[in-house]
Amino acid sequence: MEYLWAVLVGLGLAQVATLITTIYLHRVLAHKSIELHPAATIFMRFGTWMLTSISPREWVAVHRKHHNFSDVEGDPHSPHLEGYWRIMIANVYYYRREANNDNTLEKYAADLSYDRLDKVILRNGTLGFGLTGAILALLMGLGPGLVALSTLAVVYLLLNAAINGAGHTFGYKSFENDATNLRLLALITFGEGLHNNHHARPASAKLSAFRGEFDPAWPVVRLLERLRLAEVLTKVDEGWEDHRRRIATTVVSPLGSPTKETDL
């Protein structure tokens, strides 16, 4: 029973890590569509450090380059270039390969320099993730703690791989770009599965655009706004229907030709 609880704890922490990723790394830092109160920023920074071991500057640089070269030569993690299963299985390798490129960091994250807190502690992501493991082991015991930590790591990596792999391979499109929307994936990635919408309007703080779509991170953002811990800086509801790349909703499958949803 204790190991079942450990798995559940790991799943819960993976969801917290995914929520921090989509709000802080993605919408706040990469696209600057939200501004956080300093207290919320500190929470997000330490959450990123302890739950993902990711360097925000590296993540932002890789993500911005992905938008600049989406599914063409230069994209750090395109399933169209590398293959679907390579991205699904080895997404972390392609991420690290690009994150280790100093030129990528200088070009795509020049606005995110390392501050004193980064230099003292937060740049050491292994330390943060290790600290989380130590806390889990102290609270749950060594075995269950390691199971919880492993579950966190595996699930978080798989969800990110699914966004980059499945989110560019199958699903449906409402806009003319190479990304796709997957409603189920959106539910377990706090909206990131609405990837076609995001590539159409990267600066939108809300990733859902039409009826039937739900961005689970958006109510959290609204709550942070009400608590005066966040401010949305961009329009979120206007500009979807009359977007210049708006197309008839089309279902995309690697097994066949694209079909309009109305034909199904």
Side-chain angles (χ1 to χ4, degrees):
M1 192 66 177
E2 61 182 350
Y3 285 96
L4 175 59
W5 279 111
V7 170
L8 293 177
V9 168
L11 289 173
L13 290 176
Q15 285 295 286
V16 174
T18 302
L19 178 61
I20 289 174
T21 298
T22 187
I23 291 180
Y24 180 58
L25 298 181
H26 197 184
R27 308 183 202 200
V28 172
L29 295 184
H31 296 296
K32 300 185 182 298
S33 59
I34 301 170
E35 184 176 338
L36 293 179
H37 186 279
T41 297
I42 287 294
F43 174 82
M44 296 287 186
R45 291 180 70 179
F46 274 92
T48 301
W49 180 64
M50 294 185 66
L51 296 178
T52 73
S53 76
I54 285 174
S55 160
R57 187 167 186 253
E58 292 176 355
W59 194 96
V60 167
V62 173
H63 184 71
R64 287 174 176 172
K65 185 173 183 181
H66 163 65
H67 272 278
N68 204 37
F69 295 97
S70 182
D71 290 317
V72 298
E73 195 65 38
D75 190 331
H77 44 60
S78 169
H80 296 276
L81 300 177
E82 307 294 347
Y84 172 74
W85 285 110
R86 285 189 178 184
I87 297 300
M88 290 299 295
I89 294 171
N91 181 66
V92 66
Y93 160 75
Y94 292 103
Y95 169 81
R96 286 291 350 143
R97 183 179 67 176
E98 195 63 49
N100 290 334
N101 185 333
D102 290 337
N103 291 331
T104 297
L105 299 187
E106 292 171 8
K107 183 174 182 179
Y108 293 99
D111 57 317
L112 297 176
S113 58
Y114 295 117
D115 64 11
R116 182 175 298 178
L117 189 57
D118 288 313
K119 294 174 182 177
V120 171
I121 189 171
L122 295 185
R123 286 188 68 180
N124 191 338
T126 303
L127 176 62
F129 200 69
L131 177 60
T132 300
I135 293 172
L136 289 171
L138 285 172
L139 294 176
M140 306 175 69
L142 181 60
L146 289 176
V147 169
L149 189 70
S150 299
T151 301
L152 160 61
V154 170
V155 172
Y156 181 76
L157 291 176
L158 285 176
L159 290 177
N160 280 273
I163 295 164
N164 293 333
H168 281 262
T169 304
F170 55 88
Y172 70 92
K173 296 183 177 186
S174 299
F175 302 96
E176 186 182 353
N177 62 63
D178 288 326
T180 59
N181 290 329
L182 291 159
R183 290 188 180 99
L184 179 58
L185 183 60
L187 290 178
I188 58 177
T189 58
F190 287 95
E192 292 293 323
L194 298 172
H195 213 47
N196 178 253
N197 293 354
H198 173 59
H199 272 260
R201 293 184 62 199
S204 175
K206 181 182 177 185
L207 304 187
S208 56
F210 305 110
R211 180 179 298 178
E213 297 175 346
F214 179 56
D215 172 8
W218 181 241
V220 179
V221 173
R222 295 290 289 163
L223 176 61
L224 291 175
E225 274 197 303
R226 292 189 183 95
L227 295 174
R228 298 185 178 181
L229 293 174
E231 180 184 359
V232 175
L233 303 177
T234 60
K235 294 180 179 180
V236 296
D237 293 318
E238 301 88 349
W240 293 110
E241 192 60 59
D242 58 354
H243 193 283
R244 63 187 179 87
R245 291 187 176 273
R246 179 79 165 96
I247 61 174
T249 302
T250 303
V251 176
V252 179
S253 169
L255 302 179
S257 301
T259 56
K260 291 184 180 178
E261 193 171 73
T262 52
D263 295 334
L264 297 181

